[in-house]
Amino acid sequence: MKLKNTILAATALSAVSALGVQADVITVATVNNGDMIRMQGLTDDFTAKTGHTVEWVTLEENVLRQRVTTDITTKGGSFDVMTIGMYETPIWGANGWLVPLDDLSAEYDVGDLLPAMAGGLSHEGTLYAAPFYGESSMVMYRTDLMEAAGMEMPAAPSWSFIAKAARAMTDRDNEVYGVCIRGKAGWGEGGAFITAMSNSFGARWFDEDWNAQFDSREWSDTLNFYVNMMNDAGPPGYSTNGFNENLSLFQQGKCGMWIDATVAASFVTNPKDSTVADKVDFALAPDNGLGVRSNWLWAWALAIPAGTQQEAAAKEFLEWATNKSYIELVAAKEGWANVPPGARTSLYKNPNYMAVPFAQMTLDSILSADPTNSTVDPSPYVGIQFAAIPEFAGIATEVSQEFSAAYAGQQTVAEALAKAQAITNEAMEAAGYR
């Protein structure tokens, strides 16, 4: 491996020298999800093609959000490329904090990006981040446990079916839990899940005058349903489980169902990592018959902070990591099931990829998510698992902490909702919304 890296580096430097191009070192901040870890393993390809080298800062999701937000708001300059999402991108783009991506190469083919992803990563028609992968959320479930429970998963299940199936599949003596769902504090962790779930119960964060709605019956119904189901059929300590913790539980065969990001489908069906890879199927995220499902819309995307001293090299990296040839590189090395999903239209026209068992369900989930009409009753905000206002991240982080405390039995659901109501209204008044 050392010899290989030396040869690659020498080849890259020779190519750079011949072209008279400067080789730079760029720092990339990213989340510790499987697709991002895979990207790091393929960085030699980028270096061989450009001569540039990459220093990685890989962080847990909540920590990543804190670090990149602090860095960009203080103009810290620690990163040349940041991994951010649909919440931050339009806000930061509007503030002039990101480099606009209006001059990407023709080969990159911006028009091939799925409209839902390009739209969510743009401000006033200008793209400010490129989607590495796009996702919605869906149900991943064990077919053997569902069959043993004497039940059959509908293609579009209700929450009542999910709760019934979860209880039927639970076998605590053998450490098998009917349902695994995020409860971890953090606006993009457990906060994202419970907000998307609440939409299907008829709840919303704010009414049309920006008054908090946590004192509503719909929010009470959401949290009580969640807590009762998880206490009966969820794993111990679910209040501290996020995406990675639940992924590990599912891969170990300890979850009957997992409702989470569609991107996880490749991990739970990969026999290298999952003990139940051949026993998994998929369904749309649940609803309550109110016309709104509980699936979200998200992209982990790469953006370049304004003021970076390595803008040209950062753009080369962004194009390398989010273009069609990167997808082909992953397919060649890891198989089509493991390519970054949900970002490009062409991927869903590729017969090799559409033969993957979860490809169509992922696309259906993404296309059914509508950030502009995410709630049953009208709301003043855009977003499904978040409200696209600058204040939301701070407010929702505090609210999610109160919810997680209720999940852990440290306070009642009613107490958590009362605190959420007060936290949210006070913050909105201070920000001038009310």
Side-chain angles (χ1 to χ4, degrees), residues 170-425:
T170 298
D171 180 1
R172 293 193 179 277
D173 290 341
N174 289 302
E175 296 186 303
V176 175
Y177 311 103
V179 64
C180 294
I181 299 177
R182 302 183 192 192
K184 189 175 188 176
W187 75 261
E189 275 279 12
F193 180 87
I194 201 67
T195 295
M197 180 179 179
S198 76
N199 295 336
S200 67
F201 278 71
R204 52 188 174 164
W205 268 74
F206 306 102
D207 69 12
E208 292 182 285
D209 295 317
W210 295 103
N211 297 302
Q213 296 295 289
F214 293 106
D215 58 356
S216 67
R217 176 185 58 79
E218 290 83 3
W219 264 109
S220 178
D221 288 349
T222 303
L223 248 64
N224 278 300
F225 184 96
Y226 173 88
V227 168
N228 290 336
M229 178 175 66
M230 295 302 290
N231 285 345
D232 289 349
Y238 69 85
S239 64
T240 60
N241 288 348
F243 176 88
N244 283 329
E245 292 82 4
N246 285 324
L247 170 60
S248 178
L249 286 170
F250 195 97
Q251 288 178 324
Q252 293 172 49
K254 295 186 177 183
C255 300
M257 294 177 288
W258 179 27
I259 306 170
D260 212 300
T262 53
V263 72
S266 68
F267 306 136
V268 298
T269 56
N270 187 339
K272 293 180 183 177
D273 304 310
S274 176
T275 62
V276 295
D278 60 342
K279 303 179 181 69
V280 184
D281 207 346
F282 309 94
L284 292 174
D287 73 355
N288 264 329
L290 300 178
V292 174
R293 304 205 78 81
S294 53
N295 56 309
W296 62 63
L297 186 68
W298 185 253
W300 276 119
L302 302 180
I304 302 169
T308 175
Q309 300 302 301
Q310 314 289 354
E311 182 177 323
K315 277 191 178 175
E316 287 185 68
F317 177 81
L318 181 148
E319 287 207 23
W320 170 80
T322 64
N323 69 11
K324 287 181 270 191
S325 60
Y326 178 84
I327 291 174
E328 291 165 1
L329 174 65
V330 175
K333 290 183 175 291
E334 304 282 347
W336 280 101
N338 295 305
V339 305
R344 288 189 169 270
T345 300
S346 57
L347 183 62
Y348 293 92
K349 295 179 179 177
N350 185 321
N352 294 310
Y353 188 69
M354 292 311 290
V356 172
F358 51 80
Q360 189 62 53
M361 185 62 71
T362 295
L363 182 61
D364 291 346
S365 298
I366 289 172
L367 295 179
S368 69
D370 184 358
T372 61
N373 292 287
S374 61
T375 55
V376 174
D377 293 327
S379 64
Y381 55 88
V382 171
I384 298 176
Q385 74 277 29
F386 59 84
I389 57 173
E391 297 78 13
F392 180 81
I395 297 170
T397 296
E398 288 190 57
V399 167
S400 73
Q401 290 166 351
E402 298 298 338
F403 287 177
S404 290
Y407 306 157
Q410 297 166 2
Q411 63 182 343
T412 66
V413 165
E415 289 169 339
L417 287 169
K419 290 177 182 178
Q421 182 77 2
I423 288 166
T424 305
N425 275 338

Side-chain angles (χ1 to χ4, degrees), residues 71-72 77 79-82 97-99 303-309 311 314:
D71 193 70
I72 203 157
F79 310 116
D80 301 302
V81 178
M82 294 175 164
W97 295 348
L98 300 176
V99 173
I304 302 169
T308 175
Q309 300 302 301
E311 182 177 323

